[in-house]
Amino acid sequence: MATINDNYLKLKAGYLFPEIARRVNAFAEANPNAKIIKLGIGDVTEPLPEACRSAMIEATKEMGNRETFHGYGPEQGYGWLREKIAHHDFQARGCEIDADEIFISDGSKCDTGNILEIFGKNNTIAVTDPVYPVYVDTNVMAGNTGDVKKSGEYEGLVYLPVTADNNFTAQIPSQKVDLIYLCFPNNPTGATASKENLQAWVDYAKANNSIIFFDAAYEAYITDSELPHSIYEIEGARDCAIEFRSFSKNAGFTGTRCALTVVPKTLTAKAADGSDVELWKLWNRRQSTKFNGVSYIVQRGAEAVYSKEGQEQIKQLVSFYLENAKIIREKLTAAGLQVYGGVNAPYVWVKTPNELSSWDFFDKLVNTCNVVGTPGSGFGAAGEGYFRISAFNSRENVEEAMKRITDKFKV
């Protein structure tokens, strides 16, 4: 008899975003004339930069000739792309990262889940609360947790609350943990981490032989020159951190799919016999076995990000979404709502008015304003009473959504 992975049965009713889609679809069917504006998921709306499009068109033409055709590429990614990433994103910021330590993939969401395959089942795992749901759900699927509690937390995970009281910056745990998920600029709160804060995390990780999973998917939105873009700007991070990045939110590759993971060759963890094992070798083996690489055409598009034209176009794209975030932040603040984030990040974190629950505010916003956001409780117990609004949409939709909300929810 075939059996299933019972860990999947531990998962809460549904992944956050499908549940949002279900509720929105139900409302749309009941109200076919309603013009719904979706500021929920972090999906971009503006076209791919011209430099990327042109590069992909040329790469497609190459695929039409035997002499320039490309079949299977290197699982780790083409060297010419990894060299540019290493130079522009890391070495230019003083980070000692070599091209050979970079792995090209089809998404940082995938990598933050797949990375668990190279780690054992006896690790103590810490996540912030609220948190990007993928971190928690993939650990549940992998059997790294117990059952879900009434609070919505899973047994076996160490939760680190990030609240207004601690400026939405995770505090160092009092106990020893082995794997630590950090995301800055943060999804969902829009908070950022200073060099001093990250240094404290690196020092903790090195002292406890811990590994930090650092999700830097939104680093392009950092405009404050004092804030680090990479954890490898922090002394000692090469010995305790894996970094995940994506072309999705800076270059609009959400539907094109291209990302990267950095695994320094100095990074090790313990085998069952107590010996040190290089994590680079394990991740390389995993990728070589289970992944055939990102397409040549897409990687050429990603390479164009680092051209002079590409850099300027991406700057404009990021600035566009940051202006959206500014509009959201300022309009909601003027309406009397408590607002966080939205400065060095594309997300605005809003305290729900009148002590409404996150899902009640979601339903009220859909029904009265025809605007969709994301309930904070979907990101964890500490997210209850908050609401995430995404800046990823057209300027027209953002301005219209803010007009509707501020008309209905002036405090």
Side-chain angles (χ1 to χ4, degrees), residues 210-228:
S210 309
I211 301 294
I212 296 171
F213 296 155
F214 190 75
D215 189 345
Y218 301 96
E219 61 80 26
Y221 290 83
I222 295 174
T223 57
D224 186 339
S225 60
E226 296 299 313
L227 294 175

Side-chain angles (χ1 to χ4, degrees), residues 331-338 350-354 356 360-371 387 401-411:
K331 293 294 184 182
L332 296 184
T333 299
L337 295 170
Q338 293 181 42
V350 184
K351 187 77 177 70
T352 59
N354 306 318
L356 287 171
D360 285 345
F361 187 60
F362 171 89
D363 289 333
K364 191 166 186 177
L365 210 59
V366 171
N367 283 281
T368 62
C369 304
N370 304 158
V371 173
F387 200 77
M402 290 306 101
K403 181 179 185 303
R404 295 180 192 177
I405 293 173
T406 53
D407 284 347
K408 297 288 185 180
F409 290 98
K410 289 183 178 179
V411 178

Side-chain angles (χ1 to χ4, degrees), residues 185-386:
N186 185 253
N187 177 16
T189 68
T192 55
S194 67
K195 289 183 178 179
E196 292 75 18
N197 181 256
L198 290 185
Q199 186 68 65
W201 275 107
V202 168
D203 292 345
Y204 170 89
K206 292 187 69 175
N208 291 278
N209 295 316
S210 309
I211 301 294
I212 296 171
F213 296 155
F214 190 75
D215 189 345
Y218 301 96
E219 61 80 26
Y221 290 83
I222 295 174
T223 57
D224 186 339
S225 60
E226 296 299 313
L227 294 175
H229 288 244
S230 168
I231 198 166
Y232 300 121
E233 293 179 51
I234 308 303
E235 184 178 354
R238 278 186 57 89
D239 300 323
C240 65
I242 294 173
E243 183 164 308
F244 306 90
R245 289 200 181 196
S246 173
F247 291 95
S248 285
K249 306 302 166 66
N250 63 342
F253 275 45
T254 54
T256 307
R257 310 309 300 154
C258 194
L260 61 113
T261 292
V262 182
V263 184
K265 290 189 174 182
T266 53
L267 192 57
T268 64
K270 295 291 184 182
D273 63 6
S275 62
D276 290 323
V277 178
E278 293 180 22
L279 292 178
W280 184 95
K281 291 182 178 179
L282 298 185
W283 186 241
N284 187 58
R285 184 68 167 87
R286 189 271 172 199
Q287 293 297 82
S288 298
T289 301
K290 291 191 172 185
F291 186 58
N292 270 336
V294 176
S295 77
Y296 172 75
I297 295 169
V298 169
Q299 290 193 61
R300 280 300 186 192
E303 180 193 28
V305 164
Y306 301 100
S307 66
K308 180 180 179 181
E309 297 79 10
Q311 289 286 285
E312 180 57 35
Q313 290 161 18
I314 283 177
K315 182 180 178 181
Q316 293 174 6
L317 196 58
V318 169
S319 295
F320 174 83
Y321 291 126
L322 279 175
E323 181 63 24
N324 278 353
K326 180 181 178 182
I327 292 170
I328 295 168
R329 181 183 173 91
E330 290 181 349
K331 293 294 184 182
L332 296 184
T333 299
L337 295 170
Q338 293 181 42
V339 179
Y340 307 91
V343 177
N344 292 286
Y347 295 122
V348 177
W349 191 239
V350 184
K351 187 77 177 70
T352 59
N354 306 318
E355 299 185 351
L356 287 171
S357 74
S358 296
W359 278 108
D360 285 345
F361 187 60
F362 171 89
D363 289 333
K364 191 166 186 177
L365 210 59
V366 171
N367 283 281
T368 62
C369 304
N370 304 158
V371 173
V372 178
T374 311
S377 59
F379 298 101
E384 179 54 75
Y386 288 92

Side-chain angles (χ1 to χ4, degrees), residues 8 53 75 77 81 95 101 180 192 207 230 267 344 357 376 406:
Y8 276 67
R53 299 198 308 268
E75 291 90 349
L81 175 56
C95 306
E101 298 174 312
I180 305 160
T192 55
S230 168
L267 192 57
N344 292 286
S357 74
T406 53

